[in-house]
Amino acid sequence: MMKHYIAYFSPAGTTRKIAERMQQALKDHQIKAVMADLSVHGSPLASVLNDATGPFVLWLGSPVYCDHALPPVMAQIAALPNGLKGFSVPYVSWGGVCSGLALQEMGHALAAKGLAPLAAAKIIAEHSSTWDAAKPWEAGRPNEQDLTLVDTLVGQVVQCLQSDNPQTFDLAELNYLSKAQQADVALKSLAKAKTAMGTPKTDESLCVQCGECVQACPTGAMSLTPMPEVEADLCIVCRQCVRVCPEQAFPHNGEEAAKRIAGMAAASDEDKASAIFY
């Protein structure tokens, strides 16, 4: 039986939630899947696939940051050997603003490694910058309706794999943004956002050096020296350090973030809905 790997990078936990639903849906089809957390707390993608023999399916998930797939995810794809013989299903979680080019970037990068695309998905999730707002943006997402769509995706992939010659997915279908939206996306990047926002800074009068921020950082960007210090090149501004701090030693205003996100969502003409492609 073909082996399935479900890998994800999930700072806020929503991409992981989608991965867990995929695992359960595959289990319902009597298919066992290997789960892999790609943060520094898990394993690199290349090592996860070390035991892959024969054709396999890689389900790979990333949150959308600044309309793109996360750089650590793209770097892990780039680190894979060339000439793999298998299939891929890229999927993203996005905060209801713009899913951008993330699926295209992941799909083409995976295909270049020899992992032909079978399907793809963009699933709306609560925006990770607004957790402390009175009403977080896209609160409660992904909801059961979103996750039922994941079940449908898994069913389609399983059905496709029953063929002796599985029909691969045309990545051109991921070119779904309007020209105006594509032009806006082209101006954005995580690097530019970091320059504008800066990386998290600690209020040393509040910090007790408990190390919770270090443990929460998915990229290993945070260290205690003795106060929390961020390595800017590694930081993805996921603000998990801010979120878990028991002393609220990292200043953050969720209401301002929610207003900013609302304005960005209003300016985006993308349909604000989860969707699957196959």
Side-chain angles (χ1 to χ4, degrees):
M1 182 177 292
M2 190 171 297
K3 203 160 188 177
H4 290 252
Y5 299 86
I6 304 176
Y8 59 87
F9 197 102
S10 184
T14 49
T15 312
R16 182 183 68 243
K17 186 175 182 180
I18 298 165
E20 291 170 345
R21 184 63 170 244
M22 288 174 169
Q23 183 185 41
Q24 181 58 54
L26 284 168
K27 184 178 179 181
D28 292 342
H29 287 277
Q30 310 302 312
I31 298 171
K32 182 179 180 181
V34 176
M35 294 284 280
D37 175 3
L38 301 183
S39 74
V40 294
H41 309 296
S43 302
L45 185 57
S47 66
V48 170
L49 299 181
N50 270 344
D51 68 340
T53 57
F56 62 91
V57 182
L58 172 62
W59 305 70
L60 182 61
S62 171
V64 175
Y65 276 38
C66 304
D67 298 354
H68 297 276
L70 273 176
V73 173
M74 297 304 295
Q76 293 210 35
I77 297 174
L80 292 174
N82 295 320
L84 294 171
K85 298 184 185 301
F87 302 98
S88 62
V89 182
Y91 62 97
V92 297
S93 58
W94 61 297
V97 176
C98 179
S99 64
L101 299 179
L103 280 178
Q104 288 188 55
E105 292 164 345
M106 294 170 66
H108 284 289
L110 290 164
K113 292 295 181 178
L115 299 177
L118 292 175
K122 56 171 186 172
I123 305 297
I124 289 189
E126 180 179 308
H127 201 289
S128 62
S129 294
T130 64
W131 78 88
D132 57 346
K135 187 178 180 181
W137 192 255
E138 297 293 359
R141 308 289 292 273
N143 57 27
E144 187 57 29
Q145 184 176 355
D146 299 315
L147 296 175
T148 297
L149 204 57
V150 173
D151 296 340
T152 301
L153 177 75
V154 171
Q156 290 292 335
V157 170
V158 170
Q159 181 178 345
C160 177
L161 291 172
Q162 291 173 349
S163 168
D164 292 335
N165 184 26
Q167 184 66 42
T168 56
F169 167 68
D170 186 355
L171 289 171
E173 292 190 38
L174 299 180
N175 186 27
Y176 49 73
L177 295 181
S178 68
K179 289 185 177 180
Q181 197 65 49
Q182 289 182 44
D184 183 65
V185 170
L187 300 175
K188 296 180 180 178
S189 71
L190 181 59
K192 290 179 179 179
K194 285 164 65 172
T195 299
M197 298 186 298
T199 55
K201 304 291 184 185
T202 314
D203 182 338
E204 296 187 3
S205 68
L206 296 175
C207 179
V208 295
Q209 302 170 40
C210 66
E212 291 287 335
C213 54
V214 175
Q215 294 300 315
C217 181
T219 63
M222 184 76 69
S223 60
L224 292 180
T225 59
M227 288 291 178
E229 186 172 324
V230 177
E231 186 173 342
D233 288 346
L234 292 178
C235 180
I236 56 173
V237 203
C238 66
R239 303 197 184 282
Q240 290 309 298
C241 54
V242 182
R243 191 168 187 166
V244 304
C245 180
E247 307 299 326
Q248 297 185 322
F250 295 92
H252 184 261
N253 188 322
E255 294 302 329
E256 287 186 4
K259 289 179 182 178
R260 184 178 72 253
I261 297 304
M264 293 168 61
S268 166
D269 62 14
E270 182 176 1
D271 185 21
K272 310 302 189 295
S274 296
I276 58 176
F277 308 87
Y278 53 87

